Amino acid sequence: MCREVDLHQAVLAKNDTSAGTLRAELAARGTSVINLLSGPGSGKTALLERELLRARERDIPVAALTADLATENDARRLARSGVPVKQILTDGLCHLEAAMLGGHLDGWLPDDTRLLFVENVGNLVCPASYDLGETLRVVLASVTEGEDKPLKYPTAFGLAHLVVLTKTDIAEAAEFDEEAFRAHVAQVNPGVEVLPTSARRGAGVGELLDRALAAADGGGVHQPVMAQRPPAHAHHHERHGHEHHHHDAAGLPTHPSDPARGYVGAPGVAARRRP
């Protein structure tokens, strides 16, 4: 048990170092990373394609990097926007890591890129614990996934700077209760904005781009409560893709990674370790 926890701590600590380096390097060139997390089938590729098209219409230099276990389908879809797009195949790894991301940017990312959208692997468990050097962490969920998604994945939703609700055009057919969904989001991440969108109908398209630009300019980034609270318990166990969550005295789930970490909110950082 202790050996497994120690190994997990070491992996996350190494990733934090890489993320800090990448964040500083990109900031020096004026580039901000937007980390998009969701489960499979949330519609984030469809929405991202519309956002990239909107950025191109507004002459905002953007690029996109999309990660999958297999196939380059998403990269081909996003490339239709006409902006620089690159696919990462993770060979079975269920998340991106900062060093992996940095390695794929070398020699590819245009120098004038203002925003780099990173479409993480479709998974709400593993990617939640890994800082990619992002300025804005966005979690997306569709109306077809149910109102209790935030409660099932409190780490992913609890560390988000922005929550995007997708496919709202079929909310009625799916019998989706948006009020309940918003209440569940507020339970794990008080104060975070929930942005309703429909890529098919165009509702809310461009607003994610606006939030990303605001974050890149140094303002408008929500600071999750979970990222500011030290863990309430001194152990963590993650195995075979399952998370075991703990809750603090206020009933909020604490971050499930390094038990020795204290988390503090900081602009552009989902969760950072205290010195």
Side-chain angles (χ1 to χ4, degrees):
M1 177 67 175
C2 290
R3 183 179 297 276
E4 183 176 343
V5 171
D6 290 344
L7 176 60
H8 188 66
Q9 291 176 15
V11 169
L12 289 173
K14 182 178 180 180
N15 183 79
D16 275 356
T17 299
S18 298
T21 300
L22 180 60
R23 181 178 285 108
E25 291 174 351
L26 291 176
R29 57 187 287 176
T31 301
S32 295
V33 173
I34 314 304
N35 185 8
L36 305 177
L37 292 82
S38 80
S42 69
K44 72 176 178 293
T45 305
L47 180 62
L48 179 55
E49 183 181 357
R50 296 291 301 269
E51 296 291 337
L52 296 178
L53 283 167
R54 186 62 58 86
R56 189 180 179 193
E57 292 170 358
R58 294 169 56 181
D59 293 322
I60 301 168
V62 301
L65 188 150
T66 182
D68 273 309
L69 277 67
T71 83
E72 297 187 0
N73 295 345
D74 288 349
R76 284 193 286 268
R77 290 176 60 188
L78 296 177
R80 296 184 304 200
S81 66
V83 310
V85 174
K86 187 174 185 179
Q87 179 80 51
I88 292 180
L89 296 180
T90 64
D91 294 324
L93 190 64
C94 63
H95 61 275
L96 283 177
E97 297 180 5
M100 184 190 307
L101 175 61
H104 282 272
L105 299 182
D106 288 343
W108 169 75
L109 188 68
D111 291 338
D112 66 343
T113 302
R114 179 90 181 279
L115 301 174
L116 172 61
F117 288 91
V118 177
E119 185 179 15
N120 219 313
V121 179
N123 184 334
L124 282 174
V125 180
C126 305
S129 295
Y130 289 84
D131 182 358
L132 298 184
E134 66 259 25
T135 298
L136 192 70
R137 176 178 287 213
V138 183
V139 174
L140 301 91
S142 72
V143 300
T144 59
E145 295 176 76
E147 300 85 358
D148 62 347
K149 205 75 170 181
L151 302 181
K152 289 183 175 181
Y153 300 94
T155 301
F157 284 88
L159 289 173
H161 297 126
L162 174 68
V163 174
V164 174
L165 181 62
T166 63
K167 304 184 183 181
T168 57
D169 55 300
I170 59 172
E172 184 176 353
E175 298 183 350
F176 180 76
D177 186 340
E178 184 173 336
E179 184 177 349
F181 176 80
R182 288 177 177 273
H184 294 155
V185 170
Q187 186 174 335
V188 299
N189 194 343
V192 70
E193 180 184 9
V194 177
L195 177 63
T197 65
S198 168
R200 177 177 295 179
R201 303 297 184 194
V205 171
E207 294 193 39
L208 174 57
L209 178 62
D210 289 339
R211 304 302 188 278
L213 289 170
D217 289 338
V221 178
H222 166 74
Q223 294 304 311
V225 173
M226 185 187 296
Q228 303 174 42
R229 292 173 179 266
H233 298 278
H235 68 279
H236 163 67
H237 180 65
E238 181 179 273
R239 193 171 189 174
H240 304 307
H242 298 286
E243 286 187 294
H244 297 258
H245 301 281
H246 302 298
H247 294 74
D248 64 15
L252 291 169
T254 57
H255 195 280
S257 52
D258 186 345
R261 294 179 177 192
Y263 288 92
V264 294
V269 186
R272 300 288 302 201
R273 188 174 359 125
R274 284 200 182 100

